[in-house]
């Protein structure tokens, strides 16, 4: 598997290339404190490429503007435009199914875009979805979930302060499409630091949901 840089002016990151013609494509992005070099994104994209997918890990617009620091809530729409641009780039390259997702903030913005534009992806992969701010379970970030019409994989640590498994299960009831949860034992919010690698289970679950969707 080869990895090559990508910078179109609107989309910047790294492409993990499968052997032969891609059977599909996936674009994954980072959380509020990271970038596209996050270890969990490298693991996921390598695993997807091994499964025959063209896999892109890319930086959101806020990270391209500044190398460090959190995103500005008032400019979140620009980050969703970045997700849309990544999706369009891969649609131009591959004719198979397209999966979109990301870590924490990146996954949340991706899910919001998928709720507003149902045809933009065939499935979602949401890593450490931030159900609420730590210590503030009343401030749920689930308002878009009932509008997500594609299968979704959630990869979540059992020590994540942004949401417990019980809270996640309640959130999953809001989604009308099929869902799968990959539980990462001993992991907190940063899956790059997890002692176990969830990428194989996560990719297998995503491919299974795609197959179920076709049948």
């Amino acid at each position: 598997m080869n990895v090559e840089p990508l910078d179109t002016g609107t989309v910047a990151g790294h492409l993990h290339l499968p052997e032969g013609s891609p059977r599909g494509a996936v674009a994954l992005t980072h959380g509020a404190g990271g970038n596209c070099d996050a270890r969990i994104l490298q693991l996921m994209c390598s695993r997807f490429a091994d499964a025959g997918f063209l896999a892109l890990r890319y930086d959101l617009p806020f990270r391209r503007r500044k190398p460090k620091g959190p995103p500005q809530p008032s400019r979140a729409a620009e980050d969703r435009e970045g997700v849309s641009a990544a999706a369009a780039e891969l649609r131009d390259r591959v004719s198979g199914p397209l999966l979109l997702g990301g870590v924490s903030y990146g996954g949340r913005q991706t899910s919001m875009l998928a709720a507003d534009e149902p045809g933009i992806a065939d499935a979602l992969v949401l890593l450490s979805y931030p159900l609420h701010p730590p210590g503030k379970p009343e401030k749920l970030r689930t308002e878009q979930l009932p509008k997500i019409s594609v299968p979704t994989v959630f990869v979540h640590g059992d020590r994540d302060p942004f949401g417990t498994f019980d809270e996640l299960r309640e959130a999953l009831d809001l989604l009308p499409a099929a869902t799968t949860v990959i539980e990462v034992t001993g992991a907190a919010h940063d899956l790059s630091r997890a002692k176990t690698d969830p990428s194989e289970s996560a990719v297998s679950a995503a491919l299974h949901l795609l197959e179920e969707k076709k049948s």
Side-chain angles (χ1 to χ4, degrees):
M1 179 197 66
N2 291 324
V3 180
E4 64 180 33
L6 173 72
D7 191 346
T8 67
T10 53
V11 182
H14 298 273
L15 284 169
H16 292 237
L17 309 176
E19 292 186 8
S21 298
R23 58 189 282 204
V26 58
L28 300 175
T29 193
H30 54 85
N35 60 30
C36 70
D37 289 329
R39 178 174 178 268
I40 187 62
L41 294 182
Q42 296 189 47
L43 291 171
M44 290 290 296
C45 287
S46 293
R47 193 75 67 175
F48 268 114
D50 288 343
F53 281 69
L54 178 64
L56 169 67
R57 50 184 170 90
Y58 67 100
D59 283 334
L60 289 170
F62 86 87
R63 182 56 70 230
R64 298 184 70 196
R65 288 194 302 270
K66 55 181 182 176
K68 293 184 179 180
Q72 296 172 256
S74 62
R75 301 184 71 173
E78 295 176 31
D79 291 328
R80 291 192 290 277
E81 289 171 5
V83 178
S84 183
E89 179 66 26
L90 292 185
R91 287 285 192 198
D92 285 344
R93 292 169 177 255
V94 179
S95 59
L98 172 64
L99 300 92
L100 296 177
V103 176
S104 192
Y105 173 83
R108 183 184 177 212
Q109 297 306 318
T110 299
S111 71
M112 293 171 73
L113 179 68
D116 289 340
E117 299 183 29
I120 198 163
D122 297 289
L124 300 180
V125 181
L126 305 180
L127 306 152
S128 296
Y129 185 85
L131 287 167
H132 57 71
K136 298 180 179 179
E138 73 282 358
K139 294 190 175 182
L140 287 173
R141 297 162 170 167
T142 58
E143 61 278 357
Q144 81 280 11
L145 297 186
K147 294 170 61 182
I148 292 176
S149 59
V150 295
T152 303
V153 175
F154 289 82
V155 187
H156 208 78
D158 64 356
R159 297 182 181 178
D160 193 333
F162 287 77
T164 65
F165 281 130
D166 285 343
E167 290 169 331
L168 182 58
R169 280 187 279 271
E170 286 184 22
L172 296 192
D173 289 340
L174 300 173
L175 279 84
T179 59
T180 299
V181 177
I182 303 301
E183 300 184 5
V184 190
T185 302
H189 196 59
D190 186 358
L191 293 175
S192 292
R193 297 183 179 183
K195 293 181 180 179
T196 56
D197 174 8
S199 64
E200 182 175 5
S201 297
V203 171
S204 295
L207 299 185
H208 181 69
L209 287 178
L210 283 176
E211 287 299 318
E212 283 190 334
K213 184 182 178 185
K214 286 196 307 185
S215 61

